[in-house]
Amino acid sequence: MEEEKILFLLERISDNIGNLNEAITDLKSEVYTVKEEMTNLKSEIHTTKEEIRKLGTKIDNEVTDKIRALFDDRQIVHEKIDEINEKIDRVQIDVNNMVIKTLYHDNKILELGQKLSNR
């Protein structure tokens, strides 16, 4: 009877060891899957870093130059606007002078017209 108990216990131990081996095999498979996923993530991170580096270079080379050119153009436009405003101011002064002279001459014509009609 004791031999049966021992045999029964040995079978249970053997079954437990088999189950433990299966669990270890499953765990190894999961660890391998995780390692593959980590490798893929590292590859994607490397690719992303490269793309970011390329974008940074493009920004430095293209966008910065375009912004600088736009700023320079804006400066030129402002300078031209200032020149035009100065010319407009001068023309306005000339127009004001012409108005004053025209009024003066109109008054003189009226005075002469009155002197001629009084004679």
Side-chain angles (χ1 to χ4, degrees):
M1 178 91 158
E2 283 192 31
E3 289 178 3
E4 286 180 17
K5 285 183 181 178
I6 292 174
L7 185 59
F8 176 76
L9 288 174
L10 283 175
E11 284 177 4
R12 284 199 64 182
I13 291 173
S14 176
D15 288 343
N16 286 340
I17 289 175
N19 290 338
L20 188 58
N21 281 338
E22 284 180 29
I24 288 172
T25 301
D26 290 345
L27 186 60
K28 283 181 180 178
S29 175
E30 288 180 25
V31 167
Y32 179 75
T33 302
V34 169
K35 283 184 177 180
E36 283 183 334
E37 289 175 358
M38 290 294 289
T39 301
N40 290 339
L41 281 174
K42 285 180 182 178
S43 175
E44 288 178 20
I45 288 171
H46 178 72
T47 302
T48 303
K49 283 182 179 179
E50 270 302 304
E51 290 174 3
I52 290 171
R53 186 189 61 76
K54 287 177 183 177
L55 283 173
T57 302
K58 187 173 186 172
I59 287 171
D60 287 344
N61 292 337
E62 293 177 21
V63 176
T64 304
D65 289 343
K66 288 178 182 178
I67 289 172
R68 191 172 295 119
L70 286 172
F71 180 77
D72 291 344
D73 285 347
R74 186 183 72 83
Q75 284 295 112
I76 291 169
V77 167
H78 280 275
E79 289 171 5
K80 290 291 183 188
I81 288 172
D82 288 343
E83 284 178 29
I84 290 170
N85 283 336
E86 287 177 18
K87 288 179 181 178
I88 289 173
D89 289 345
R90 280 185 258 140
V91 167
Q92 185 63 50
I93 290 170
D94 289 344
V95 167
N96 290 342
N97 287 334
M98 294 299 286
V99 167
I100 291 170
K101 286 180 181 178
T102 302
L103 288 172
Y104 175 77
H105 288 113
D106 286 348
N107 286 333
K108 283 295 182 187
I109 290 170
L110 288 173
E111 286 176 14
L112 288 173
Q114 286 177 355
K115 284 182 183 180
L116 286 175
S117 62
N118 287 338
R119 284 187 168 180

